[in-house]
Amino acid sequence: MKRFIALFFLTTYLLATTELGQFLKIPAFVSHFQEHKHDNKGLTLLAFIYIHYANEDVNDADYDKDMKLPFKACDNSSLQFSITTLPESIEIPSKKLSYFSPKEKYFVPSQDFTAAFHSLIWQPPRAC
């Protein structure tokens, strides 16, 4: 049951936000092909695809049906936005916060030991 619900939500999301929804127009493609096949018996599927997808769109008698074919027009009209609300006022604490206490002791090196360490890297190789 969980797998079915996950697939349902995934399919709904993909159909709504990507061009996968164009595949839902395949019945319109088949019926439009059959109409053209009825008018011209020698029409093949490749010739139909070439007429409707390789050439520029011609505003003919069946232009509206041509535009309902899959991948002819971009139908992805999903708009995603988020609404954020800002607070009306921000309270700033009046007391100064001190992150360092004078009683705590911190390690402060007396010499720059990193420079001495890095200079050892650039020594020439030595024979053992």
Side-chain angles (χ1 to χ4, degrees):
M1 186 66 177
K2 289 181 184 180
R3 184 176 180 168
F4 173 76
I5 293 172
L7 287 174
F8 173 75
F9 283 123
L10 178 65
T11 304
T12 304
Y13 173 76
L14 289 176
L15 289 175
T17 60
T18 64
E19 290 296 320
L20 286 176
Q22 295 288 331
F23 289 110
L24 297 175
K25 296 180 179 182
I26 290 178
F29 179 85
V30 172
S31 68
H32 194 60
F33 173 67
Q34 289 174 348
E35 289 174 6
H36 277 273
K37 186 78 169 170
H38 185 331
D39 295 340
N40 182 4
K41 301 288 185 198
L43 184 69
T44 63
L45 180 63
L46 290 177
F48 175 78
I49 292 172
Y50 181 78
I51 291 169
H52 287 86
Y53 290 98
N55 298 329
E56 291 185 19
D57 296 329
V58 180
N59 197 354
D60 54 357
D62 65 344
Y63 180 78
D64 292 334
K65 291 181 181 178
D66 290 345
M67 289 296 111
K68 291 179 182 176
L69 294 175
F71 302 106
K72 286 292 280 188
C74 182
D75 292 340
N76 193 359
S77 60
S78 67
L79 177 64
Q80 298 176 359
F81 61 93
S82 62
I83 298 174
T84 58
T85 57
L86 299 174
E88 293 180 11
S89 64
I90 300 173
E91 293 183 26
I92 300 174
S94 60
K95 183 180 177 183
K96 291 185 179 182
L97 300 174
S98 175
Y99 293 107
F100 299 104
S101 171
K103 295 179 182 177
E104 296 179 21
K105 296 181 181 180
Y106 297 99
F107 172 73
V108 179
S110 59
Q111 64 178 1
D112 189 13
F113 60 90
T114 57
F117 173 73
H118 289 301
S119 66
L120 293 176
I121 296 174
W122 304 110
Q123 299 294 321
R126 297 179 186 155
C128 294

